[in-house]
Amino acid sequence: MYLTGVSCVGKTAIGRELASLRSTPFFDLDAEVESYFGVSIERLQNRFLTVHSFRNEAAKALSALLSRPASTSAVIALPPSGLMGGYWRVVKLSPGMTVALTDTPENILARIAFYDVDSKPIEKELTDEEKRWYLRDIKKDITYFGKTYTRADYRVYIAGLDAFAAAQKVQNVVLAAGEERE
């Protein structure tokens, strides 16, 4: 099963909880990309002229992950662009279902996280002006990536839920549909 959604929607936290509920492994594709290439996402992105060419290259890490037996029934957190370009070409050929997580821009802003060029977390207190700027940016991301989330098998709205409750909601949606394609 693949989880996608905009940055900071909770894919990793919810994915871990969902994998635990399902008694399956969890993989964060960003971590897999960094491990596969031996460099942080930002440093890898800087090697490419376009985001499209980066996604095509990074999709190699997804293909490598899917070739591992542990990935067969795993929960995999994709990046926001997980249903685009090179990632999508790999995902649509695999048997796992896709779930797009959605939330309000305000809730996503409350979970915003920052990382340095080497993917190490940075503590940052946002000013009111920065909050307004990031809220606009989140809204733009929801619009931009949301178009590709229509490709997902399911869209699950997680507003007001913690990671465990959101994972339960995803699990219930999938079970209610009775479409376990894995």
Side-chain angles (χ1 to χ4, degrees):
M1 176 184 305
Y2 298 100
L3 295 181
T4 194
V6 298
S7 293
C8 299
V9 74
K11 298 176 297 284
T12 300
I14 294 165
R16 284 189 179 115
E17 293 289 350
L18 183 60
S20 179
L21 282 172
R22 298 168 61 90
S23 298
T24 62
F26 170 75
F27 298 99
D28 183 317
L29 187 57
D30 284 347
E32 294 297 317
V33 167
E34 290 183 344
S35 176
Y36 183 85
F37 290 100
V39 66
S40 71
I41 295 284
E42 186 173 344
R43 290 188 188 278
L44 182 62
Q45 286 174 334
N46 289 337
R47 294 179 184 174
F48 296 91
L49 293 176
T50 67
V51 174
H52 176 75
S53 56
F54 161 75
R55 287 183 195 130
N56 286 339
E57 186 70 8
K60 293 176 182 176
L62 179 56
S63 293
L65 171 59
L66 294 176
S67 72
R68 297 178 359 213
S71 72
T72 305
S73 62
V75 174
I76 300 171
L78 298 171
S81 60
L83 302 183
M84 299 173 80
Y87 295 131
W88 177 240
R89 283 190 291 281
V90 174
V91 168
K92 71 180 178 181
L93 295 176
S94 72
M97 70 184 70
T98 53
V99 176
L101 301 174
T102 61
D103 201 345
T104 66
E106 295 76 15
N107 288 344
I108 294 167
L109 178 63
R111 289 190 297 270
I112 198 166
F114 298 93
Y115 300 89
D116 70 13
V117 69
D118 293 312
S119 298
K120 292 182 180 27
I122 298 172
E123 289 294 323
K124 182 173 180 167
E125 188 70 31
L126 297 177
T127 65
D128 288 342
E129 183 178 338
E130 288 171 323
K131 287 178 185 176
R132 283 190 298 276
W133 187 87
Y134 282 111
L135 192 59
R136 278 193 313 266
D137 203 40
I138 291 166
K139 289 176 182 177
K140 287 179 186 176
D141 282 354
I142 289 170
T143 300
Y144 177 74
F145 292 113
K147 295 171 187 172
T148 67
Y149 298 157
T150 60
R151 295 175 172 168
D153 297 308
Y154 306 101
R155 292 181 72 170
V156 179
Y157 186 61
I158 59 164
L161 302 177
D162 63 19
F164 181 72
Q168 287 180 312
K169 185 172 182 179
V170 170
Q171 179 74 345
N172 290 340
V173 166
V174 169
L175 291 175
E179 287 190 31
E180 290 279 358
R181 296 183 339 194
E182 300 176 274

